[in-house]
Amino acid sequence: MTDLNALKYTAEHEWVALDGDVATIGITDYAAEQLGDVVYVDLPADNATVTAGQVMGEIESTKSVSELYSPVDGEVIALNGEVDADPSLVNQDPFGQGWLVRVQLSGQPLTGLMDRAAYVALTGGEA
């Protein structure tokens, strides 16, 4: 089980798990719930360069299409093929099997991201 307090969060509802200089990125349970049933995920290409705050993909649900923003700078080194084959994993396990991409960081890691308490406060929940 993922320790949600060990993750960092964006105001755009992405989460980041850092392992050395590799960041695993997904969307939060709050975002997954707000989207509804996810039916398609458009991820960046493997080896693509992503920039913090810039769009790197889209998530389509039965309710809407939302842009996916990169929370970090770096190069995409892995895509979650399981989510590509079964987008509902984003709803079922957003912090586990529903991860989206792994990025080899470049530059400053994880600047400007929130801890769990700040993110929960942002979404109106209780820590």
Side-chain angles (χ1 to χ4, degrees):
M1 182 171 185
T2 303
D3 179 2
L4 301 183
N5 291 316
L7 304 177
K8 296 295 184 186
Y9 301 87
T10 71
E12 289 78 26
H13 310 292
E14 288 92 12
W15 58 262
V16 180
L18 188 62
D19 182 12
D21 60 354
V22 174
T24 300
I25 300 166
I27 66 166
T28 67
D29 54 346
Y30 176 83
E33 184 178 317
Q34 295 298 309
L35 284 168
D37 294 333
V38 174
V39 295
Y40 179 72
V41 178
D42 180 28
L43 299 176
D46 200 14
N47 299 321
T49 299
V50 294
T51 303
Q54 300 297 309
V55 174
M56 67 174 182
E58 290 182 340
I59 296 178
E60 183 177 339
S61 72
T62 53
K63 291 182 179 176
S64 67
V65 176
S66 298
E67 294 181 322
L68 177 65
Y69 294 90
S70 178
V72 298
D73 295 336
E75 178 182 348
V76 175
I77 60 170
L79 304 170
N80 188 349
E82 291 183 36
V83 165
D84 190 41
D86 182 7
S88 70
L89 288 174
V90 173
N91 296 107
Q92 295 169 21
D93 191 11
F95 296 108
Q97 291 182 311
W99 66 274
L100 301 174
V101 299
R102 289 199 169 108
V103 174
Q104 179 80 46
L105 299 176
S106 63
Q108 288 289 341
L110 309 185
T111 56
L113 301 179
M114 294 178 270
D115 63 16
R116 181 73 183 168
Y119 179 72
V120 170
L122 174 76
T123 59
E126 295 180 17

